[in-house]
Every structure is written in structure tokens, then in C-alpha cells.
Amino acid sequence: GQERTTTEQARDQAQFEAMILLEAMKRFNLIQHLVKLMGPLLTVMGVDRRVGLLWLTAAIFGLSYGAAVIVEEAREGQFSPEQLSRLQLSIGVNHAMIEDPALFLPLGLSAFWLWVPRLVAAIMVVQLYNLWRYFLCRRLKTTAAAMGSQPISK
């Protein structure tokens, strides 16, 4: 058989450890406590605290491991399409905040460059989306008022 590289072994080890950590966090209900502590960050990022569990899952464990949790929770219908859109934008830019550094820190990359630019970019993307939605809704309301019909609500 083909031998695995050190990078592949490190990736597999990091994924295994992430899965164990996720299960332990679920079992001891630590995720909800982390979401509560991260509430101010979620607010700055433009992500609703109600989707905090999903954001935290994707940020820590990445999309490949967090996807099942995210899909399952979204299917239950507890979140509005707007909440899910902002979540998707944020985690699309900023996910796997533990998994990726576990792979790249041993190669000598700085933690700053692995975390900060992605956080800033995710904040910018979601806030630009919020700004776009604000102006779109405002324009729709203005158009509706000009046409003499009821304004369209958010």
C-alpha cells in the first residue's frame, strides 16, 4: 500500500481529536456555555446568538465535521432564512479555527495569520450583507410607498 505522509497523519490525528472534543463538549453541555461567553463576538460578527451553536461548531470543527450538526439544526426550522444566510456567509469565510491551525502551526505559520484575517473578513462580509439588506428593504419600502401599496416588511 501507499505510505501516508506526515501531513496526512497530522490531519487525521487532528480530525480524530476534534471529534472526541466535540462529543465531550456535547455530553457535558459545554457548547451552550461557550456560545454564551462568545455572545459579544457573535454580535460584532453580525451573527444571531441563536445560531451560535452552529457558528461555534463550524468555527471549531470545520464544515466537514460541523455540517451534520448544522443541517440537522437548520431542518428543525428554529432559525429564520436571514439568520441562516448570515451564518452561512460567516462560516463560509471563517471555519475550522481549530482544525486548520492544528495542521499549519506545526509547519511554522503564525497563529495571527491563521485566525485574525479570517475573523475580520467574516465580520466584513456579514456586515456588508446586512448593509445591502438594509438598503434593499429601504428601496422596496420606498417603491411600495410610491406605488401606493403597503410597504414590504423585512
Side-chain angles (χ1 to χ4, degrees), residues 74-111:
R75 280 187 181 157
E76 290 180 11
Q78 300 174 10
F79 309 112
S80 72
E82 227 14 69
Q83 291 171 321
L84 292 173
S85 291
R86 287 195 290 280
L87 172 70
Q88 291 169 355
L89 287 168
S90 181
I91 65 177
V93 174
N94 185 42
H95 58 274
M97 293 184 68
I98 302 297
E99 183 182 16
D100 287 352
L103 297 173
F104 295 112
L105 285 173
L107 300 174
L109 283 131
S110 166

PDB file of all heavy atoms in Angstrom, residues 74-111:
ATOM      1  N   ALA A  74     -30.774  23.164  11.254  1.00  0.00           N
ATOM      2  CA  ALA A  74     -31.486  24.014  10.291  1.00  0.00           C
ATOM      3  C   ALA A  74     -32.789  23.359   9.847  1.00  0.00           C
ATOM      4  O   ALA A  74     -33.792  24.049   9.629  1.00  0.00           O
ATOM      5  CB  ALA A  74     -30.596  24.312   9.092  1.00  0.00           C
ATOM      6  N   ARG A  75     -32.798  22.061   9.723  1.00  0.00           N
ATOM      7  CA  ARG A  75     -34.010  21.341   9.303  1.00  0.00           C
ATOM      8  C   ARG A  75     -35.119  21.433  10.338  1.00  0.00           C
ATOM      9  O   ARG A  75     -36.288  21.320  10.003  1.00  0.00           O
ATOM     10  CB  ARG A  75     -33.696  19.873   9.032  1.00  0.00           C
ATOM     11  CG  ARG A  75     -33.066  19.651   7.697  1.00  0.00           C
ATOM     12  CD  ARG A  75     -32.930  18.187   7.400  1.00  0.00           C
ATOM     13  NE  ARG A  75     -32.293  18.006   6.112  1.00  0.00           N
ATOM     14  CZ  ARG A  75     -31.650  16.929   5.754  1.00  0.00           C
ATOM     15  NH1 ARG A  75     -31.553  15.895   6.569  1.00  0.00           N
ATOM     16  NH2 ARG A  75     -31.091  16.851   4.571  1.00  0.00           N
ATOM     17  N   GLU A  76     -34.742  21.601  11.590  1.00  0.00           N
ATOM     18  CA  GLU A  76     -35.751  21.700  12.642  1.00  0.00           C
ATOM     19  C   GLU A  76     -36.548  22.996  12.551  1.00  0.00           C
ATOM     20  O   GLU A  76     -37.562  23.147  13.219  1.00  0.00           O
ATOM     21  CB  GLU A  76     -35.099  21.565  14.017  1.00  0.00           C
ATOM     22  CG  GLU A  76     -34.595  20.162  14.285  1.00  0.00           C
ATOM     23  CD  GLU A  76     -33.955  20.018  15.657  1.00  0.00           C
ATOM     24  OE1 GLU A  76     -34.084  20.950  16.492  1.00  0.00           O
ATOM     25  OE2 GLU A  76     -33.333  18.986  15.899  1.00  0.00           O
ATOM     26  N   GLY A  77     -36.085  23.941  11.740  1.00  0.00           N
ATOM     27  CA  GLY A  77     -36.837  25.161  11.481  1.00  0.00           C
ATOM     28  C   GLY A  77     -36.829  26.185  12.590  1.00  0.00           C
ATOM     29  O   GLY A  77     -37.717  27.024  12.665  1.00  0.00           O
ATOM     30  N   GLN A  78     -35.848  26.138  13.468  1.00  0.00           N
ATOM     31  CA  GLN A  78     -35.775  27.083  14.574  1.00  0.00           C
ATOM     32  C   GLN A  78     -35.203  28.437  14.154  1.00  0.00           C
ATOM     33  O   GLN A  78     -35.245  29.387  14.921  1.00  0.00           O
ATOM     34  CB  GLN A  78     -34.894  26.527  15.691  1.00  0.00           C
ATOM     35  CG  GLN A  78     -35.377  25.227  16.269  1.00  0.00           C
ATOM     36  CD  GLN A  78     -34.374  24.670  17.264  1.00  0.00           C
ATOM     37  OE1 GLN A  78     -33.420  25.341  17.653  1.00  0.00           O
ATOM     38  NE2 GLN A  78     -34.580  23.441  17.673  1.00  0.00           N
ATOM     39  N   PHE A  79     -34.658  28.507  12.951  1.00  0.00           N
ATOM     40  CA  PHE A  79     -33.948  29.703  12.517  1.00  0.00           C
ATOM     41  C   PHE A  79     -34.599  30.289  11.279  1.00  0.00           C
ATOM     42  O   PHE A  79     -35.096  29.565  10.423  1.00  0.00           O
ATOM     43  CB  PHE A  79     -32.488  29.366  12.218  1.00  0.00           C
ATOM     44  CG  PHE A  79     -31.813  28.624  13.328  1.00  0.00           C
ATOM     45  CD1 PHE A  79     -31.439  27.310  13.169  1.00  0.00           C
ATOM     46  CD2 PHE A  79     -31.566  29.236  14.548  1.00  0.00           C
ATOM     47  CE1 PHE A  79     -30.827  26.610  14.198  1.00  0.00           C
ATOM     48  CE2 PHE A  79     -30.960  28.549  15.577  1.00  0.00           C
ATOM     49  CZ  PHE A  79     -30.583  27.227  15.407  1.00  0.00           C
ATOM     50  N   SER A  80     -34.555  31.608  11.200  1.00  0.00           N
ATOM     51  CA  SER A  80     -35.114  32.290  10.028  1.00  0.00           C
ATOM     52  C   SER A  80     -34.121  32.163   8.865  1.00  0.00           C
ATOM     53  O   SER A  80     -32.926  31.938   9.082  1.00  0.00           O
ATOM     54  CB  SER A  80     -35.351  33.764  10.336  1.00  0.00           C
ATOM     55  OG  SER A  80     -34.109  34.454  10.424  1.00  0.00           O
ATOM     56  N   PRO A  81     -34.614  32.318   7.649  1.00  0.00           N
ATOM     57  CA  PRO A  81     -33.703  32.305   6.494  1.00  0.00           C
ATOM     58  C   PRO A  81     -32.618  33.378   6.616  1.00  0.00           C
ATOM     59  O   PRO A  81     -31.487  33.163   6.200  1.00  0.00           O
ATOM     60  CB  PRO A  81     -34.627  32.588   5.305  1.00  0.00           C
ATOM     61  CG  PRO A  81     -35.968  32.113   5.750  1.00  0.00           C
ATOM     62  CD  PRO A  81     -36.015  32.388   7.225  1.00  0.00           C
ATOM     63  N   GLU A  82     -32.963  34.524   7.213  1.00  0.00           N
ATOM     64  CA  GLU A  82     -31.992  35.612   7.395  1.00  0.00           C
ATOM     65  C   GLU A  82     -30.872  35.195   8.344  1.00  0.00           C
ATOM     66  O   GLU A  82     -29.704  35.464   8.091  1.00  0.00           O
ATOM     67  CB  GLU A  82     -32.731  36.812   7.967  1.00  0.00           C
ATOM     68  CG  GLU A  82     -32.522  38.148   7.396  1.00  0.00           C
ATOM     69  CD  GLU A  82     -31.846  38.282   6.077  1.00  0.00           C
ATOM     70  OE1 GLU A  82     -32.408  37.909   5.048  1.00  0.00           O
ATOM     71  OE2 GLU A  82     -30.723  38.796   6.073  1.00  0.00           O
ATOM     72  N   GLN A  83     -31.225  34.547   9.450  1.00  0.00           N
ATOM     73  CA  GLN A  83     -30.221  34.066  10.403  1.00  0.00           C
ATOM     74  C   GLN A  83     -29.294  33.054   9.728  1.00  0.00           C
ATOM     75  O   GLN A  83     -28.078  33.100   9.914  1.00  0.00           O
ATOM     76  CB  GLN A  83     -30.887  33.418  11.617  1.00  0.00           C
ATOM     77  CG  GLN A  83     -31.616  34.384  12.505  1.00  0.00           C
ATOM     78  CD  GLN A  83     -32.433  33.660  13.551  1.00  0.00           C
ATOM     79  OE1 GLN A  83     -33.044  32.621  13.289  1.00  0.00           O
ATOM     80  NE2 GLN A  83     -32.462  34.215  14.751  1.00  0.00           N
ATOM     81  N   LEU A  84     -29.885  32.159   8.953  1.00  0.00           N
ATOM     82  CA  LEU A  84     -29.085  31.134   8.280  1.00  0.00           C
ATOM     83  C   LEU A  84     -28.202  31.732   7.186  1.00  0.00           C
ATOM     84  O   LEU A  84     -27.071  31.279   6.991  1.00  0.00           O
ATOM     85  CB  LEU A  84     -29.990  30.037   7.725  1.00  0.00           C
ATOM     86  CG  LEU A  84     -30.679  29.173   8.785  1.00  0.00           C
ATOM     87  CD1 LEU A  84     -31.674  28.229   8.129  1.00  0.00           C
ATOM     88  CD2 LEU A  84     -29.668  28.414   9.615  1.00  0.00           C
ATOM     89  N   SER A  85     -28.694  32.754   6.506  1.00  0.00           N
ATOM     90  CA  SER A  85     -27.873  33.407   5.472  1.00  0.00           C
ATOM     91  C   SER A  85     -26.642  34.053   6.083  1.00  0.00           C
ATOM     92  O   SER A  85     -25.521  33.898   5.575  1.00  0.00           O
ATOM     93  CB  SER A  85     -28.691  34.473   4.731  1.00  0.00           C
ATOM     94  OG  SER A  85     -29.685  33.877   3.958  1.00  0.00           O
ATOM     95  N   ARG A  86     -26.830  34.770   7.184  1.00  0.00           N
ATOM     96  CA  ARG A  86     -25.674  35.405   7.843  1.00  0.00           C
ATOM     97  C   ARG A  86     -24.709  34.348   8.382  1.00  0.00           C
ATOM     98  O   ARG A  86     -23.499  34.509   8.295  1.00  0.00           O
ATOM     99  CB  ARG A  86     -26.150  36.337   8.943  1.00  0.00           C
ATOM    100  CG  ARG A  86     -26.768  37.614   8.396  1.00  0.00           C
ATOM    101  CD  ARG A  86     -26.924  38.698   9.436  1.00  0.00           C
ATOM    102  NE  ARG A  86     -27.932  38.469  10.449  1.00  0.00           N
ATOM    103  CZ  ARG A  86     -29.242  38.660  10.298  1.00  0.00           C
ATOM    104  NH1 ARG A  86     -29.710  39.065   9.148  1.00  0.00           N
ATOM    105  NH2 ARG A  86     -30.064  38.450  11.291  1.00  0.00           N
ATOM    106  N   LEU A  87     -25.258  33.272   8.922  1.00  0.00           N
ATOM    107  CA  LEU A  87     -24.406  32.177   9.405  1.00  0.00           C
ATOM    108  C   LEU A  87     -23.587  31.595   8.266  1.00  0.00           C
ATOM    109  O   LEU A  87     -22.374  31.402   8.393  1.00  0.00           O
ATOM    110  CB  LEU A  87     -25.269  31.082  10.033  1.00  0.00           C
ATOM    111  CG  LEU A  87     -24.525  29.796  10.394  1.00  0.00           C
ATOM    112  CD1 LEU A  87     -23.578  30.026  11.568  1.00  0.00           C
ATOM    113  CD2 LEU A  87     -25.505  28.675  10.685  1.00  0.00           C
ATOM    114  N   GLN A  88     -24.231  31.322   7.144  1.00  0.00           N
ATOM    115  CA  GLN A  88     -23.526  30.724   6.007  1.00  0.00           C
ATOM    116  C   GLN A  88     -22.423  31.634   5.491  1.00  0.00           C
ATOM    117  O   GLN A  88     -21.325  31.164   5.149  1.00  0.00           O
ATOM    118  CB  GLN A  88     -24.510  30.394   4.885  1.00  0.00           C
ATOM    119  CG  GLN A  88     -25.431  29.263   5.241  1.00  0.00           C
ATOM    120  CD  GLN A  88     -26.576  29.114   4.259  1.00  0.00           C
ATOM    121  OE1 GLN A  88     -26.772  29.899   3.344  1.00  0.00           O
ATOM    122  NE2 GLN A  88     -27.367  28.072   4.455  1.00  0.00           N
ATOM    123  N   LEU A  89     -22.692  32.923   5.429  1.00  0.00           N
ATOM    124  CA  LEU A  89     -21.659  33.860   4.987  1.00  0.00           C
ATOM    125  C   LEU A  89     -20.474  33.851   5.949  1.00  0.00           C
ATOM    126  O   LEU A  89     -19.319  33.804   5.532  1.00  0.00           O
ATOM    127  CB  LEU A  89     -22.226  35.276   4.877  1.00  0.00           C
ATOM    128  CG  LEU A  89     -23.152  35.523   3.701  1.00  0.00           C
ATOM    129  CD1 LEU A  89     -23.879  36.845   3.865  1.00  0.00           C
ATOM    130  CD2 LEU A  89     -22.380  35.485   2.399  1.00  0.00           C
ATOM    131  N   SER A  90     -20.775  33.887   7.230  1.00  0.00           N
ATOM    132  CA  SER A  90     -19.710  33.928   8.225  1.00  0.00           C
ATOM    133  C   SER A  90     -18.864  32.662   8.212  1.00  0.00           C
ATOM    134  O   SER A  90     -17.637  32.730   8.168  1.00  0.00           O
ATOM    135  CB  SER A  90     -20.308  34.144   9.611  1.00  0.00           C
ATOM    136  OG  SER A  90     -19.281  34.198  10.577  1.00  0.00           O
ATOM    137  N   ILE A  91     -19.513  31.508   8.227  1.00  0.00           N
ATOM    138  CA  ILE A  91     -18.732  30.267   8.290  1.00  0.00           C
ATOM    139  C   ILE A  91     -18.118  29.905   6.942  1.00  0.00           C
ATOM    140  O   ILE A  91     -17.161  29.141   6.895  1.00  0.00           O
ATOM    141  CB  ILE A  91     -19.539  29.085   8.878  1.00  0.00           C
ATOM    142  CG1 ILE A  91     -20.711  28.706   7.987  1.00  0.00           C
ATOM    143  CG2 ILE A  91     -19.938  29.382  10.297  1.00  0.00           C
ATOM    144  CD1 ILE A  91     -21.508  27.506   8.478  1.00  0.00           C
ATOM    145  N   GLY A  92     -18.667  30.481   5.879  1.00  0.00           N
ATOM    146  CA  GLY A  92     -18.040  30.260   4.578  1.00  0.00           C
ATOM    147  C   GLY A  92     -16.649  30.862   4.531  1.00  0.00           C
ATOM    148  O   GLY A  92     -15.734  30.326   3.912  1.00  0.00           O
ATOM    149  N   VAL A  93     -16.473  31.983   5.209  1.00  0.00           N
ATOM    150  CA  VAL A  93     -15.179  32.664   5.259  1.00  0.00           C
ATOM    151  C   VAL A  93     -14.337  32.143   6.415  1.00  0.00           C
ATOM    152  O   VAL A  93     -13.129  31.981   6.302  1.00  0.00           O
ATOM    153  CB  VAL A  93     -15.388  34.193   5.414  1.00  0.00           C
ATOM    154  CG1 VAL A  93     -14.065  34.900   5.621  1.00  0.00           C
ATOM    155  CG2 VAL A  93     -16.118  34.752   4.209  1.00  0.00           C
ATOM    156  N   ASN A  94     -14.976  31.884   7.534  1.00  0.00           N
ATOM    157  CA  ASN A  94     -14.250  31.618   8.774  1.00  0.00           C
ATOM    158  C   ASN A  94     -14.736  30.311   9.397  1.00  0.00           C
ATOM    159  O   ASN A  94     -15.696  30.299  10.135  1.00  0.00           O
ATOM    160  CB  ASN A  94     -14.494  32.784   9.734  1.00  0.00           C
ATOM    161  CG  ASN A  94     -13.697  32.663  10.983  1.00  0.00           C
ATOM    162  OD1 ASN A  94     -12.541  32.299  10.938  1.00  0.00           O
ATOM    163  ND2 ASN A  94     -14.303  32.964  12.097  1.00  0.00           N
ATOM    164  N   HIS A  95     -14.078  29.233   9.077  1.00  0.00           N
ATOM    165  CA  HIS A  95     -14.417  27.941   9.664  1.00  0.00           C
ATOM    166  C   HIS A  95     -13.135  27.175   9.964  1.00  0.00           C
ATOM    167  O   HIS A  95     -12.062  27.571   9.533  1.00  0.00           O
ATOM    168  CB  HIS A  95     -15.333  27.132   8.743  1.00  0.00           C
ATOM    169  CG  HIS A  95     -14.739  26.880   7.392  1.00  0.00           C
ATOM    170  ND1 HIS A  95     -14.859  27.791   6.370  1.00  0.00           N
ATOM    171  CD2 HIS A  95     -14.008  25.849   6.901  1.00  0.00           C
ATOM    172  CE1 HIS A  95     -14.231  27.317   5.301  1.00  0.00           C
ATOM    173  NE2 HIS A  95     -13.712  26.149   5.609  1.00  0.00           N
ATOM    174  N   ALA A  96     -13.255  26.118  10.706  1.00  0.00           N
ATOM    175  CA  ALA A  96     -12.131  25.248  11.072  1.00  0.00           C
ATOM    176  C   ALA A  96     -11.019  26.011  11.788  1.00  0.00           C
ATOM    177  O   ALA A  96      -9.843  25.876  11.478  1.00  0.00           O
ATOM    178  CB  ALA A  96     -11.585  24.524   9.842  1.00  0.00           C
ATOM    179  N   MET A  97     -11.402  26.785  12.798  1.00  0.00           N
ATOM    180  CA  MET A  97     -10.421  27.592  13.518  1.00  0.00           C
ATOM    181  C   MET A  97      -9.527  26.764  14.448  1.00  0.00           C
ATOM    182  O   MET A  97      -8.534  27.280  14.946  1.00  0.00           O
ATOM    183  CB  MET A  97     -11.126  28.690  14.303  1.00  0.00           C
ATOM    184  CG  MET A  97     -11.768  29.709  13.378  1.00  0.00           C
ATOM    185  SD  MET A  97     -12.521  31.071  14.263  1.00  0.00           S
ATOM    186  CE  MET A  97     -11.065  31.860  14.919  1.00  0.00           C
ATOM    187  N   ILE A  98      -9.864  25.548  14.690  1.00  0.00           N
ATOM    188  CA  ILE A  98      -9.009  24.645  15.460  1.00  0.00           C
ATOM    189  C   ILE A  98      -8.313  23.672  14.516  1.00  0.00           C
ATOM    190  O   ILE A  98      -7.106  23.462  14.590  1.00  0.00           O
ATOM    191  CB  ILE A  98      -9.815  23.869  16.525  1.00  0.00           C
ATOM    192  CG1 ILE A  98     -10.517  24.825  17.493  1.00  0.00           C
ATOM    193  CG2 ILE A  98      -8.945  22.867  17.261  1.00  0.00           C
ATOM    194  CD1 ILE A  98      -9.588  25.693  18.309  1.00  0.00           C
ATOM    195  N   GLU A  99      -9.081  23.110  13.608  1.00  0.00           N
ATOM    196  CA  GLU A  99      -8.551  22.103  12.691  1.00  0.00           C
ATOM    197  C   GLU A  99      -7.424  22.662  11.813  1.00  0.00           C
ATOM    198  O   GLU A  99      -6.366  22.049  11.700  1.00  0.00           O
ATOM    199  CB  GLU A  99      -9.684  21.569  11.820  1.00  0.00           C
ATOM    200  CG  GLU A  99      -9.252  20.459  10.887  1.00  0.00           C
ATOM    201  CD  GLU A  99     -10.393  20.000  10.001  1.00  0.00           C
ATOM    202  OE1 GLU A  99     -11.407  20.699   9.874  1.00  0.00           O
ATOM    203  OE2 GLU A  99     -10.238  18.917   9.424  1.00  0.00           O
ATOM    204  N   ASP A 100      -7.631  23.807  11.189  1.00  0.00           N
ATOM    205  CA  ASP A 100      -6.608  24.368  10.309  1.00  0.00           C
ATOM    206  C   ASP A 100      -5.314  24.716  11.049  1.00  0.00           C
ATOM    207  O   ASP A 100      -4.235  24.328  10.608  1.00  0.00           O
ATOM    208  CB  ASP A 100      -7.140  25.593   9.555  1.00  0.00           C
ATOM    209  CG  ASP A 100      -8.128  25.208   8.466  1.00  0.00           C
ATOM    210  OD1 ASP A 100      -8.290  23.989   8.201  1.00  0.00           O
ATOM    211  OD2 ASP A 100      -8.740  26.120   7.882  1.00  0.00           O
ATOM    212  N   PRO A 101      -5.399  25.426  12.183  1.00  0.00           N
ATOM    213  CA  PRO A 101      -4.154  25.689  12.909  1.00  0.00           C
ATOM    214  C   PRO A 101      -3.454  24.413  13.379  1.00  0.00           C
ATOM    215  O   PRO A 101      -2.224  24.364  13.408  1.00  0.00           O
ATOM    216  CB  PRO A 101      -4.607  26.540  14.097  1.00  0.00           C
ATOM    217  CG  PRO A 101      -5.816  27.233  13.593  1.00  0.00           C
ATOM    218  CD  PRO A 101      -6.502  26.221  12.719  1.00  0.00           C
ATOM    219  N   ALA A 102      -4.233  23.403  13.739  1.00  0.00           N
ATOM    220  CA  ALA A 102      -3.605  22.142  14.151  1.00  0.00           C
ATOM    221  C   ALA A 102      -2.761  21.560  13.014  1.00  0.00           C
ATOM    222  O   ALA A 102      -1.764  20.889  13.252  1.00  0.00           O
ATOM    223  CB  ALA A 102      -4.665  21.134  14.588  1.00  0.00           C
ATOM    224  N   LEU A 103      -3.164  21.854  11.792  1.00  0.00           N
ATOM    225  CA  LEU A 103      -2.407  21.374  10.631  1.00  0.00           C
ATOM    226  C   LEU A 103      -1.239  22.290  10.281  1.00  0.00           C
ATOM    227  O   LEU A 103      -0.180  21.821   9.885  1.00  0.00           O
ATOM    228  CB  LEU A 103      -3.335  21.252   9.413  1.00  0.00           C
ATOM    229  CG  LEU A 103      -4.472  20.257   9.534  1.00  0.00           C
ATOM    230  CD1 LEU A 103      -5.394  20.363   8.329  1.00  0.00           C
ATOM    231  CD2 LEU A 103      -3.930  18.851   9.659  1.00  0.00           C
ATOM    232  N   PHE A 104      -1.442  23.609  10.398  1.00  0.00           N
ATOM    233  CA  PHE A 104      -0.463  24.550   9.875  1.00  0.00           C
ATOM    234  C   PHE A 104       0.489  25.135  10.910  1.00  0.00           C
ATOM    235  O   PHE A 104       1.588  25.567  10.549  1.00  0.00           O
ATOM    236  CB  PHE A 104      -1.173  25.685   9.131  1.00  0.00           C
ATOM    237  CG  PHE A 104      -1.881  25.206   7.905  1.00  0.00           C
ATOM    238  CD1 PHE A 104      -3.260  25.214   7.825  1.00  0.00           C
ATOM    239  CD2 PHE A 104      -1.162  24.716   6.821  1.00  0.00           C
ATOM    240  CE1 PHE A 104      -3.916  24.761   6.693  1.00  0.00           C
ATOM    241  CE2 PHE A 104      -1.807  24.257   5.686  1.00  0.00           C
ATOM    242  CZ  PHE A 104      -3.183  24.282   5.625  1.00  0.00           C
ATOM    243  N   LEU A 105       0.125  25.183  12.178  1.00  0.00           N
ATOM    244  CA  LEU A 105       1.042  25.687  13.185  1.00  0.00           C
ATOM    245  C   LEU A 105       2.332  24.860  13.258  1.00  0.00           C
ATOM    246  O   LEU A 105       3.417  25.431  13.364  1.00  0.00           O
ATOM    247  CB  LEU A 105       0.368  25.767  14.560  1.00  0.00           C
ATOM    248  CG  LEU A 105      -0.618  26.918  14.745  1.00  0.00           C
ATOM    249  CD1 LEU A 105      -1.348  26.795  16.079  1.00  0.00           C
ATOM    250  CD2 LEU A 105       0.069  28.264  14.637  1.00  0.00           C
ATOM    251  N   PRO A 106       2.245  23.529  13.177  1.00  0.00           N
ATOM    252  CA  PRO A 106       3.494  22.745  13.197  1.00  0.00           C
ATOM    253  C   PRO A 106       4.411  23.035  12.003  1.00  0.00           C
ATOM    254  O   PRO A 106       5.611  22.768  12.058  1.00  0.00           O
ATOM    255  CB  PRO A 106       3.015  21.285  13.149  1.00  0.00           C
ATOM    256  CG  PRO A 106       1.620  21.320  13.654  1.00  0.00           C
ATOM    257  CD  PRO A 106       1.074  22.651  13.233  1.00  0.00           C
ATOM    258  N   LEU A 107       3.844  23.613  10.951  1.00  0.00           N
ATOM    259  CA  LEU A 107       4.652  23.953   9.777  1.00  0.00           C
ATOM    260  C   LEU A 107       5.283  25.336   9.903  1.00  0.00           C
ATOM    261  O   LEU A 107       5.967  25.793   8.992  1.00  0.00           O
ATOM    262  CB  LEU A 107       3.795  23.879   8.506  1.00  0.00           C
ATOM    263  CG  LEU A 107       3.176  22.513   8.216  1.00  0.00           C
ATOM    264  CD1 LEU A 107       2.241  22.593   7.019  1.00  0.00           C
ATOM    265  CD2 LEU A 107       4.256  21.474   7.982  1.00  0.00           C
ATOM    266  N   GLY A 108       5.021  26.015  11.025  1.00  0.00           N
ATOM    267  CA  GLY A 108       5.660  27.297  11.275  1.00  0.00           C
ATOM    268  C   GLY A 108       4.833  28.522  10.942  1.00  0.00           C
ATOM    269  O   GLY A 108       5.329  29.640  11.062  1.00  0.00           O
ATOM    270  N   LEU A 109       3.579  28.356  10.556  1.00  0.00           N
ATOM    271  CA  LEU A 109       2.729  29.518  10.276  1.00  0.00           C
ATOM    272  C   LEU A 109       2.315  30.191  11.575  1.00  0.00           C
ATOM    273  O   LEU A 109       2.092  29.526  12.583  1.00  0.00           O
ATOM    274  CB  LEU A 109       1.490  29.095   9.488  1.00  0.00           C
ATOM    275  CG  LEU A 109       1.793  28.851   8.025  1.00  0.00           C
ATOM    276  CD1 LEU A 109       1.229  27.538   7.596  1.00  0.00           C
ATOM    277  CD2 LEU A 109       1.249  29.975   7.208  1.00  0.00           C
ATOM    278  N   SER A 110       2.189  31.491  11.541  1.00  0.00           N
ATOM    279  CA  SER A 110       1.805  32.268  12.709  1.00  0.00           C
ATOM    280  C   SER A 110       0.317  32.105  13.003  1.00  0.00           C
ATOM    281  O   SER A 110      -0.509  32.146  12.092  1.00  0.00           O
ATOM    282  CB  SER A 110       2.121  33.742  12.450  1.00  0.00           C
ATOM    283  OG  SER A 110       1.483  34.563  13.393  1.00  0.00           O
ATOM    284  N   ALA A 111      -0.016  31.977  14.285  1.00  0.00           N
ATOM    285  CA  ALA A 111      -1.416  31.871  14.698  1.00  0.00           C
ATOM    286  C   ALA A 111      -2.188  33.126  14.300  1.00  0.00           C
ATOM    287  O   ALA A 111      -3.352  33.040  13.908  1.00  0.00           O
ATOM    288  CB  ALA A 111      -1.509  31.642  16.203  1.00  0.00           C
TER     289      ALA A 111
END
